[in-house]
Amino acid sequence: LPSKTMASNVTNKTDPRSMNSHVFIGNLNTLVVKKSDVEAIFSKYGKIVGCSVHKGFAFVQYVNERNIRAAVAGEDGRMIAGQVLDINLATEPKVNRGKAGVKRSAAEMY
């Protein structure tokens, strides 16, 4: 898939502060969990201004960093669709675990 098609989903990467307002959600069962599900789970921590779901992971963007830290603290380790979520700040990704597909896609985001 050309990365161009993801442009409407991808949050503002030219603003250096914007990465501080992103949550990276890893180990996500995207066969079962849809974008609307991700938004429903994470909207309780603050207003979501962007959400993109990819194979096995997702990004959520909030208005400010306080929302993110609450989301990371509240949801990291939660089990959804039989998989334990790996949630952290997008500025502090834990994606270098040898999953080539995830690494490439995450690199495209920055």
Side-chain angles (χ1 to χ4, degrees):
L1 239 89
S3 58
K4 200 169 53 183
T5 58
M6 303 189 319
S8 61
N9 268 345
V10 174
T11 42
N12 182 4
K13 60 186 173 206
T14 54
D15 178 356
R17 291 166 307 171
S18 74
M19 286 318 294
N20 292 334
S21 57
H22 283 65
V23 177
F24 171 81
I25 304 145
N27 200 35
L28 188 65
N29 186 347
T30 47
L31 295 172
V32 178
V33 183
K34 303 297 168 218
K35 183 176 171 183
S36 56
D37 301 321
V38 173
E39 288 174 351
I41 293 161
F42 287 89
S43 62
K44 65 177 178 242
Y45 297 100
K47 181 175 161 55
I48 292 174
V49 292
C51 178
S52 57
V53 176
H54 310 270
K55 190 176 180 196
F57 66 98
F59 286 102
V60 172
Q61 182 181 14
Y62 287 105
V63 179
N64 70 47
E65 198 174 335
R66 196 177 65 240
N67 302 137
I68 301 190
R69 297 204 178 270
V72 171
E75 300 298 323
D76 190 29
R78 171 205 265 251
M79 185 177 279
I80 293 179
Q83 290 179 213
V84 177
L85 299 185
D86 175 21
I87 301 176
N88 49 84
L89 284 157
T91 46
E92 304 160 6
K94 296 183 268 186
V95 291
N96 299 324
R97 290 195 176 143
K99 297 183 199 156
V102 172
K103 255 194 287 196
R104 195 205 66 237
S105 302
E108 283 172 10
M109 294 293 163
Y110 296 103

